[in-house]
Amino acid sequence: MTPGARRVLRAAERLFYERGIHAVGVDLIAAEAGVTKKTLYDRFGSKEQIVVEYLAGRDERWRELLAARLDAVAGREPAVRAVAVFEASREWAAEYGSKGCSMINAHAEIGDPSHPAYPVITGQKRWMLDLFTGLACEIGAGGAAGADRLGRTLMLLHEGALVAHGLGVFPDPFGHAADEVRDLLGRV
């Protein structure tokens, strides 16, 4: 990726997250990145592709941060690892998420399954559900049906914490959700 393309992505990420995807045009992204619109289109082809790259980049960084946090508690009980997801989310939100989850925010603007960013959005959430369901299987949540149910419950607690954080409804929703997970899983 060229330096100009990296500047475009950095500018787009900041602008899309702060203002919303539909509120930001390519003129503004190009101006903020210090490139011409021609350079922007040469590198990405369309605004939609910039949105895809923005969301995919955030997802990749989230997965890397989460993998590091889960590696730090590797070998511990699955319940401890489940709580670590919420703690990682608290850390991520403090640094990158003052307006809540970029995937949830993007989905509010991009509800069309034919949009090229839609699979990135839904793929990230499916990945999280698979992660929680895998942890629930390791916990031994009453067979496949029990693991599916517990995985969905953990996912709902996590997504609720993301939304509550973004709205600023109450302090430390990730800590509250982690406490609920501890209670649910027998006080890990």
Side-chain angles (χ1 to χ4, degrees):
M1 190 174 288
T2 66
R6 284 193 294 274
R7 287 194 312 273
V8 166
L9 279 179
R10 281 193 303 269
E13 178 169 347
R14 182 179 52 76
L15 292 166
F16 288 154
Y17 190 73
E18 288 175 1
R19 300 181 186 187
I21 293 167
H22 291 314
V24 174
V26 292
D27 289 328
L28 179 57
I29 295 169
E32 292 280 324
V35 301
T36 64
K37 276 179 38 178
K38 180 183 181 331
T39 297
L40 183 147
Y41 283 116
D42 286 347
R43 300 299 182 269
F44 297 97
S46 66
K47 178 182 172 183
E48 287 78 16
Q49 188 58 38
I50 297 171
V51 173
V52 169
E53 297 293 330
Y54 149 65
L55 292 170
R58 280 184 72 98
D59 183 37
E60 182 179 331
R61 288 192 312 278
W62 160 244
R63 290 182 194 212
E64 288 170 0
L65 181 136
L66 183 55
R69 295 311 166 269
L70 291 173
D71 285 348
V73 293
R76 308 258 330 256
E77 303 83 34
V80 170
R81 294 197 315 278
V83 170
V85 175
F86 291 84
E87 292 167 350
S89 292
R90 178 194 288 142
E91 179 182 336
W92 173 273
E95 187 168 348
Y96 303 109
S98 63
K99 293 185 175 284
C101 176
S102 58
M103 299 298 166
I104 293 170
N105 297 345
H107 189 265
E109 294 189 69
I110 302 169
D112 180 2
S114 68
H115 191 286
Y118 193 83
V120 177
I121 297 164
T122 58
Q124 196 273 340
K125 295 306 178 185
R126 285 190 186 103
W127 182 82
M128 288 299 297
L129 178 58
D130 290 345
L131 172 77
F132 283 124
T133 302
L135 290 168
C137 282
E138 292 176 33
I139 290 167
D148 284 346
R149 182 177 170 85
L150 178 57
R152 290 175 183 161
T153 300
L154 294 171
M155 174 82 167
L156 288 172
L157 284 167
H158 186 259
E159 296 303 303
L162 286 169
V163 171
H165 170 78
L167 294 173
V169 176
F170 57 88
D172 194 19
F174 296 108
H176 181 81
D179 288 343
E180 293 301 313
V181 170
R182 285 183 191 95
D183 285 346
L184 180 66
L185 301 179
R187 264 310 179 199
V188 286

